[in-house]
Each structure stands twice: as C-alpha cells, then as structure tokens.
Amino acid sequence: AQTVTQSQPEMSVQEAETVTLSCTYDTSESDYYLFWYKQPPSRQMILVIRQEAYKQQNATENRFSVNFQKAAKSFSLKISDSQLGDAAMYFCASWGGDSNYQLIWGAGTKLIIKP
Amino acid sequence: DTEVTQTPKHLVMGMTNKKSLKCEQHMGHRAMYWYKQKAKKPPELMFVYSYEKLSINESVPSRFSPECPNSSLLNLHLHALQPEDSALYLCASSLTGGRSNQPQHFGDGTRLSIL
C-alpha cells in the first residue's frame, strides 16, 4: 500500500532563515504526483507546490521549492526567507490508495516561525 | 479568497438534531469531496462525487448522508451524531476526479461540535 511519511512533528525557524521539511513516500507506481499543502490556523488547506514524478526538474513557486529525489522516494520542501505568515501545518500528499480519487496524506509538520 | 465556499463556519448541535453542511464551487470542477479532520491530523476522506455521482463512500456511518444536487453544490446531512463526530469538516473540489497533477481546492471548513 502506498504510504507518505513526515518524520518531523514540529519544526521551528528564525524569520528570514531557510527551513526544509522532509517527506518520504512509498509507491510501486511509475507515474505519480506529489503535493505539499499548508494549513494555517485559519483552517483552509492551501496548495503550496506540486511535482510530477516524470519531471526531473524540481518544482519551485517563489520562496518555496522542492528537492525531489525519485530513487530515494524523497520529496522535501524548502522554504526560503521564512515569514511569519508561513507558520502553519504542512502536509505532504500523493495520489494513492485503491481508488483514483484518494489522496494519501503524511502526518503533518507544524512549522513555527520565530520573530 | 477561497474559491470553495462552505457554510456554516461553525455549528453546535445536540445528538438528536438534524443539520446540513453546504459546499459550493464555481470553478467548473467535476469532482467534489468531503473530509473529516481532527486537530493536528491529516484529513480523512469520507465521500467523493465525480460528475455528480457518488464514487466513494469510505465506510462512513449512515448518520452522515451526502448529496450532490448539481455540479456546483455538495451537501452533507447530519443526523443523530455522536460526540466523537466533533471535528473540522472540509469540502474540496478538483477539475476532474482521478490521479493527475490537478490539485484539490479546499474550503475553509465547518467546525462541528456535538453536545
């Protein structure tokens, strides 16, 4: 069964510094998609970045980038120039399960930004 | 601004009450989802509608009854809930159901408390 693992329950970073959140996954499929979502205290789950497995180039979105290591099945999220508004729960997710509609979620990492 | 609108934002109900949660999107998405989320946990998939037809029911108790009146609306009818049903209920939509690089877009959720 496909799994997604986030091994860091909580991370903290000084404002303006860089932080990396880790995510590993396990899949037997050759074509898959990976996502990072952010959920601030306001509750809305917001897409941060996505990666297609067939693309070798790492995805970037402004201050957010991923380090996608396909052979190692690793999909870490790097946040540069951390801002107070980045404080949130971060979830890594991938399509998986027995159906085509189910996202498999990691347990989440709580990111704290120190002013 | 969220493109998936959920109402109400908060709901307190007794175990004998009947209430409904509503979700609306106008992005032309054809797949809509209900999730249940406990504090500091990832969302748990409850139901999926694809092209207005129920595609997935993740063994959810019958006290939760979903309804998709049209492609833009999704309801979750609640009846005789238990205290353990207290949670954040998230609605999401995606362009199409199924595995792709198309992400799910989430609403702000309804915070449900069962007395």
Side-chain angles (χ1 to χ4, degrees), chain A residues 32-85:
Chain A
Y32 51 91
Y33 306 91
L34 299 163
F35 306 91
W36 276 101
Y37 280 90
K38 163 187 176 180
Q39 188 176 35
S42 62
R43 309 183 325 201
Q44 187 188 7
M45 193 76 76
I46 302 166
L47 177 71
V48 175
I49 201 165
R50 68 184 115 172
Q51 175 80 44
E52 293 88 344
Y54 63 85
K55 289 187 177 179
Q56 294 187 346
Q57 187 173 7
N58 289 329
T60 62
E61 289 286 344
N62 300 314
R63 297 183 295 107
F64 299 86
S65 62
V66 299
N67 182 5
F68 176 49
Q69 302 287 328
K70 192 171 183 178
K73 297 183 177 177
S74 172
F75 180 59
S76 59
L77 175 69
K78 186 172 85 170
I79 306 174
S80 304
D81 185 27
S82 298
Q83 300 176 1
L84 294 177

Side-chain angles (χ1 to χ4, degrees), chain B residues 62-110:
Chain B
S62 59
R63 57 186 184 267
F64 295 92
S65 175
E67 178 194 20
C68 188
N70 59 55
S71 60
S72 300
L73 293 174
L74 187 64
N75 298 321
L76 185 62
H77 302 296
L78 315 173
H79 174 55
L81 295 193
Q82 303 298 307
E84 62 266 26
D85 297 324
S86 297
L88 181 67
Y89 287 84
L90 293 167
C91 175
S93 69
S94 62
L95 185 60
T96 59
R99 304 181 189 203
S100 74
N101 66 347
Q102 294 300 315
Q104 294 181 14
H105 296 252
F106 287 81
D108 289 342
T110 295

Side-chain angles (χ1 to χ4, degrees), chain A residues 15 26 56 72 101:
Chain A
E15 193 176 4
D26 186 19
Q56 294 187 346
Y101 300 98

Side-chain angles (χ1 to χ4, degrees), chain B residues 35-49:
Chain B
Y35 287 91
K36 173 183 178 181
Q37 187 181 25
K38 290 286 197 179
K40 299 184 180 180
K41 298 290 187 182
E44 301 171 34
L45 184 64
M46 299 175 71
F47 303 103
V48 180
Y49 275 83

Side-chain angles (χ1 to χ4, degrees), chain B residues 41-59:
Chain B
K41 298 290 187 182
E44 301 171 34
L45 184 64
M46 299 175 71
F47 303 103
V48 180
Y49 275 83
S50 178
Y51 292 85
E52 300 161 50
K53 293 186 178 180
L54 184 63
S55 298
I56 292 180
N57 175 343
E58 290 286 344
S59 302

